[in-house]
Amino acid sequence: MRRFRQMQTPGEIGLAAGDVENWGYPREVEEAELVECGWWRYGHDAVLWFANVPDIPMAGVLHLCVHPETRRKHLVGARRLFRGVDILADLFCLELLIANDCQEGGPVADYLRRLGWKRETLGGIEGEWMCKRFPPSGDSDGQSAEKAEVGPS
């Protein structure tokens, strides 16, 4: 059974970042991402990491890379993967999740749209992005919690 596992040590995160590079992620992982982001694996062939959005409270950016062989098989567990992403976003008390690296559209954006994500223009970030909004978290009076941090604790 595939499971989510958080990368906690610099060595684990470095290996995951190396996998992302080898699997053809469309850009180089920045040094700051290795330290500031929360990194996770889903099984052995998917790596995801979450980054804070400094200008947008309660928002996080999802970065996701899947092994090319798994992409060709259409990742049988894709719906489960994104259910897990939703749960992680909830645990981080996020109200907005932004998908990175699918600004131009394409198959990833199409798939996210089928999962309920919408294209939005956001204050503080240039361009249109695929986004998923979550109900505000907080205490019983419906007030939002303080800004969430999605990196390592």
Side-chain angles (χ1 to χ4, degrees):
M1 177 179 225
R2 298 169 68 84
R3 301 214 182 262
F4 283 90
R5 189 169 66 83
Q6 185 176 17
M7 308 290 97
Q8 297 185 357
T9 68
E12 289 176 317
I13 293 168
L15 288 172
D19 284 344
V20 163
E21 183 178 313
N22 292 332
W23 297 344
Y25 194 67
R27 64 169 179 80
E28 201 171 301
V29 175
E30 296 174 12
E31 203 62 38
E33 290 175 283
L34 299 174
V35 177
E36 297 170 2
C37 295
W39 285 75
W40 299 79
R41 281 193 184 271
Y42 179 62
H44 66 282
D45 53 1
V47 174
L48 54 145
W49 63 107
F50 295 89
N52 288 314
V53 182
D55 297 333
I56 304 175
M58 308 304 290
V61 176
L62 169 66
H63 304 269
L64 172 65
C65 187
V66 178
H67 188 280
E69 288 297 316
T70 304
R71 284 193 301 253
R72 283 196 257 303
K73 296 176 191 172
H74 301 290
L75 185 59
V76 174
R79 286 203 177 273
R80 185 165 183 239
L81 166 68
F82 278 96
R83 276 196 306 268
V85 166
D86 288 355
I87 291 167
L88 291 171
D90 187 47
L91 290 171
F92 293 139
C93 299
L94 297 177
E95 294 175 8
L96 174 66
L97 196 54
I98 304 164
N100 197 40
D101 302 317
C102 63
Q103 215 176 349
E104 287 84 36
V108 173
D110 292 342
Y111 186 72
L112 291 176
R113 214 175 345 272
R114 287 195 303 271
L115 295 176
W117 293 56
K118 293 179 175 37
R119 189 170 287 286
E120 291 188 35
T121 302
L122 304 168
I125 302 178
E126 190 177 318
E128 276 194 331
W129 299 87
M130 293 303 295
C131 299
K132 184 164 188 181
R133 295 205 175 261
F134 299 91
S137 59
D139 55 22
S140 59
D141 68 359
Q143 298 298 312
S144 293
E146 292 298 314
K147 182 179 178 205
E149 294 292 325
V150 295
S153 47

